[in-house]
């Protein structure tokens, strides 16, 4: 899978701005700063997707679909950092 | 300068889409303008007698989360005089928008700031005109860099008197 299209990254920026506002979490990042971080996170996910897949043990690696593996990673990260 | 009107969130009017959300922050009504997409609202008034140009709009706001970056707001006027050939049930007739300079947000979210915009383009407003004022956050402007919502607390309209 390639990196996200620009429009998708734009939507993620909009969503993060809305989430910061809802939670009223202060940030000194500007929109360009935040967008650069989104771009980097997306690139990192793309670059390391094969390594993540290899890290999963069998039979999960063979049986889970790509979306299920993504959900697994999202749930673990969400729980580790208690992101709501 | 004299204050001619103070417009508050409860009396704002909204388009069908792309409108700021009316929220309560510590029980204070605010209009929340998104960081990623332009949103607009309006207020209506009658231009008072004795009003003199230039007009200035003073926007009192605070930020929901941003402590750095700039915001860009614009204000436009629609002024309809008695006898004008303006069909109000067919469309709108706002003059060219008046754009603020890139305004640095306060260093603490929740602290107020007041942003001043001279309404150079005022649709030839005259005393007695039926007037609408449009307020927009130009969120997709390259110089609007502050993340998170802008909470608009009030709009004060001053004239030169």
């Amino acid at each position: 899978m390639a990196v996200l299209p620009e429009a998708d990254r734009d939507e993620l920026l909009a969503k993060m701005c809305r989430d910061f506002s809802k939670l009223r979490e202060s940030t000194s990042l500007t929109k360009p700063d935040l967008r650069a971080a989104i771009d980097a996170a997306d690139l990192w996910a793309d670059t390391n997707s094969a390594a993540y897949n290899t890290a999963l043990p069998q039979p999960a690696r063979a049986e889970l679909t790509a979306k299920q593996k993504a959900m697994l990673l999202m749930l673990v990260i969400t729980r580790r950092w208690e992101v709501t | 300068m004299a204050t001619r009107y103070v417009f508050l969130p409860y009396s704002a009017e909204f388009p069908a889409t792309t409108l700021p959300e009316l929220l309560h922050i510590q029980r204070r009504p605010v209009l929340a303008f998104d960081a990623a997409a332009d949103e607009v609202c309006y207020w209506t008034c009658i231009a008072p007698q004795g009003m003199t140009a230039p007009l200035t709009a003073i926007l009192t706001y605070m930020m929901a989360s941003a402590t750095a970056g700039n915001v860009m707001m614009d204000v436009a006027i629609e002024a309809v005089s008695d006898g004008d050939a303006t069909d109000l049930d067919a469309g709108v007739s706002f003059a060219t928008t008046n754009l603020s300079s890139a305004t640095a947000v306060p260093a603490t979210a929740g602290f107020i700031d007041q942003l001043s915009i001279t309404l150079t383009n005022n649709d030839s407003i005259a005393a007695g005109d039926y007037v609408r004022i449009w307020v927009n956050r130009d969120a997709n402007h390259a110089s609007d860099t502050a993340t998170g919502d802008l909470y608009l607390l009030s709009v004060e309209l001053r004239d030169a008197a």
Side-chain angles (χ1 to χ4, degrees):
Chain A
M1 184 181 179
V3 294
L4 292 171
E6 290 294 302
D8 285 5
R9 290 178 172 186
D10 288 342
E11 276 181 30
L12 287 177
L13 174 62
K15 183 178 185 320
M16 283 203 75
C17 285
R18 284 194 294 271
D19 288 348
F20 280 153
S21 296
K22 267 192 208 138
L23 296 169
R24 288 210 281 290
E25 289 185 347
S26 289
T27 177
S28 61
L29 288 186
T30 62
K31 284 190 278 190
D33 294 339
L34 191 50
R35 177 54 195 269
I38 289 168
D39 292 355
D42 181 39
L43 180 60
W44 178 90
D46 186 57
T47 304
N48 291 282
S49 59
Y52 166 60
N53 190 59
T54 304
L56 294 175
Q58 297 290 12
R61 193 192 314 161
E63 295 298 317
L64 291 174
T65 65
K67 282 202 172 165
Q68 288 169 334
K69 290 172 185 173
M71 192 194 320
L72 170 61
L73 181 60
M74 183 192 76
L75 288 172
V76 169
I77 289 176
T78 302
R79 184 55 187 255
R80 279 175 65 86
W81 278 281
E82 297 176 345
V83 176
T84 54
Chain B
M1 280 191 182
T3 297
R4 290 302 189 168
Y5 280 105
V6 176
F7 301 112
L8 298 174
Y10 280 146
S11 59
E13 299 148 16
F14 302 101
T17 58
T18 64
L19 55 151
E21 191 177 356
L22 177 62
L23 298 176
H24 292 89
I25 307 298
Q26 291 297 324
R27 309 305 299 165
R28 291 187 182 85
V30 302
L31 292 164
F33 285 81
D34 201 68
D38 287 21
E39 291 179 335
V40 64
C41 66
Y42 317 99
W43 283 272
T44 299
C45 63
I46 298 294
Q49 298 301 308
M51 187 185 65
T52 53
L55 302 180
T56 305
I58 310 294
L59 279 57
T60 301
Y61 74 96
M62 60 180 175
M63 299 305 290
S65 56
T67 60
N70 301 316
V71 290
M72 299 287 293
M73 300 294 290
D74 55 48
V75 175
I77 300 274
E78 175 191 73
V80 184
S81 303
D82 183 20
D84 273 358
T86 303
D87 189 346
L88 295 187
D89 65 15
V92 299
S93 177
F94 284 94
T96 305
T97 59
N98 303 277
L99 188 60
S100 72
S101 53
T103 301
V105 302
T108 301
F111 282 17
I112 70 164
D113 184 40
Q114 293 185 321
L115 182 164
S116 175
I117 303 175
T118 300
L119 305 182
T120 307
N121 306 307
N122 62 23
D123 205 22
S124 303
I125 191 172
D129 282 356
Y130 171 80
V131 176
R132 284 201 303 166
I133 291 175
W134 135 331
V135 174
N136 171 61
R137 177 178 180 181
D138 198 350
N140 57 5
H141 193 287
S143 296
D144 187 299
T145 57
T147 57
D149 288 353
L150 176 147
Y151 290 153
L152 184 64
L153 292 153
S154 69
V155 178
E156 179 193 355
L157 195 62
R158 297 178 186 171
D159 75 350

